[in-house]
Amino acid sequence: MTKVIELNVKSNYIAEYKKGYPLINKDTIMNTNALKEEGSIVHLIDENRQFITKGYYGKQNKGLGWVLTHNKTEAIDFAFFKSRLEVALNARQSFYKNTETTAFRVFNGEGDGIGGFTIDYFDGYYLINWYSAGIYSFKDHVISAIDELCDYKAIYEKKRFDTKGQYIDDDDFVKGTRGEFPIIVKENGMNYAVYLNDGAMVGIFLDQRKVRKAIRDEYSKGKNVLNTFSYTGAFSVAAAHGGAMKTTNVDLAKRSKSKTIEQFSVNSIDYEQQDIKVMDVFEYFKYAKRKELKFDVVVLDPPSFARSKKHTFSTAKDYPALIKDTIAITEKNGVIVASTNNASFGMRKFKGFVDKAFKEMNTNYKILEEFSLPSDFKTNPIFPQGNYLKVLIVEKR
Ligand code: SAH
């Protein structure tokens, strides 16, 4: 058996770990130099060398790993991974039964008791996202647990842990029968084309399910919709299903155009009635102003960081300016769907961004609805950063 590494917790953080804080944060540990090999089991101990909790070493952003159990004698073995997956699967039974939605999250990292990896379900296929070399060292246990507990067509994986914490682009197939992509998954009766073997992103972000439904059911009928940072146009598909007059999709990535055409097509929506622009959003704002274009609904869902030829965008810094640009091209009584997945700030600060933007534009507004992660993206109440998604539906008054 490999030797357990003891990590000395700084005294003012002991109480947090005892309460169940799951992330082993660099700043809370005195002897980080004891850590050598990712995947090692670590015991967090206090100044009297008393056991607090145990976890594994795996580098992920500022984290050095995740807490696994408070039970000193519980082994981190196949049975451990299987038990946690079993609980997670039971919590998703209603999702498996729902034939209108065939894509959802099965295991959400620390929200389901083991930080560092997630498992998504796409109509019979399982996709594992690994966020550190440390958790990846337990791969065999996780695969065996899926083998014992799930029926599947195939398992795929994304390794998101190169030296910069980015996606490692190699064959994502793990086992089963290779799929023919795209597969078409359903979400609340809508179709989405999904690719599990083509880069870091699969074509749809499952965490926005409730927002797509709201856009379809409450905000689109007869409306002129602008979808910025549109990627494959998933929000626009929802808007078109909801009876939008037209959608305009703006994304910088060249392949977003064919991907958006495909999403419309698998829904039998005529893409030629839609506008699909490969363009920098910030250029589009200027263009729209010049042409005096205005929209009834504008969706804003930028990445946390983005770099284009002319702009570097960081949500934490530039979101208010982005909302101001949006307000300028939104009709009175129009609606802005403002979204961010930046975990470094919470809903209160995000509302502050919206407030700042409207004040600086001398415009009134009303927040109509707010969204966070859906229930399959289970979070741990003691780790609010894990609840990263923030979406505000705001009416311009
Ligand atoms: N809203 C999308 C997901 C957006 S992912 C959805 O719900 O599916 C972020 C997207 O922003 C990527 O497709 C990326 O190409 C695009 N992007 C990043 N910077 C951009 C910019 N300056 N202008 C336009 N698109 C940009």
Side-chain angles (χ1 to χ4, degrees), residues 7-137:
L7 294 180
N8 301 97
V9 177
K10 294 180 186 168
S11 56
N12 44 335
Y13 294 105
I14 290 170
E16 282 297 302
Y17 284 118
K18 283 192 173 158
K19 269 193 265 168
Y21 188 79
L23 180 69
I24 304 173
N25 194 309
K26 191 161 63 189
D27 304 331
T28 66
I29 305 297
M30 291 193 272
N31 58 328
T32 56
N33 58 353
L35 293 165
K36 298 280 175 331
E37 203 182 324
E38 287 201 46
S40 307
I41 299 299
V42 299
H43 284 190
L44 306 200
I45 57 171
D46 68 13
E47 55 273 69
N48 302 316
R49 293 198 58 199
Q50 291 297 306
F51 174 85
I52 304 168
T53 189
K54 75 171 161 187
Y56 72 91
Y57 171 38
K59 280 194 281 188
Q60 192 181 330
N61 308 324
K62 276 184 78 184
L64 292 176
W66 294 92
V67 169
L68 295 171
T69 176
H70 295 303
N71 179 352
K72 191 175 177 181
T73 60
E74 185 174 22
I76 308 307
D77 54 8
F78 167 67
F80 173 84
F81 283 90
K82 186 180 167 189
S83 69
R84 300 310 190 268
L85 180 60
E86 199 161 16
V87 172
L89 288 166
N90 285 334
R92 274 77 173 182
Q93 282 313 314
S94 61
F95 282 91
Y96 280 99
K97 290 193 189 112
N98 179 350
T99 53
E100 290 289 285
T101 298
T102 59
F104 51 90
R105 179 147 292 188
V106 165
F107 194 93
N108 195 37
E110 75 286 353
D112 283 295
I114 310 175
F117 79 106
T118 63
I119 308 175
D120 292 329
Y121 177 84
F122 295 96
D123 194 26
Y125 292 86
Y126 285 82
L127 175 68
I128 310 171
N129 282 294
W130 306 103
Y131 289 92
S132 74
I135 192 65
Y136 194 67
S137 71

Side-chain angles (χ1 to χ4, degrees), residues 201 203-205 208 212 227-235 250-253 279-282 301-303 306-308:
M201 305 199 289
I204 183 168
F205 289 97
Q208 297 278 14
R212 283 187 286 268
N227 185 4
T228 63
F229 307 95
S230 55
Y231 180 40
T232 65
F235 285 122
V250 183
D251 196 293
L252 193 61
M279 194 170 179
D280 189 324
V281 164
F282 300 95
D301 180 31
R307 185 166 295 161
S308 64

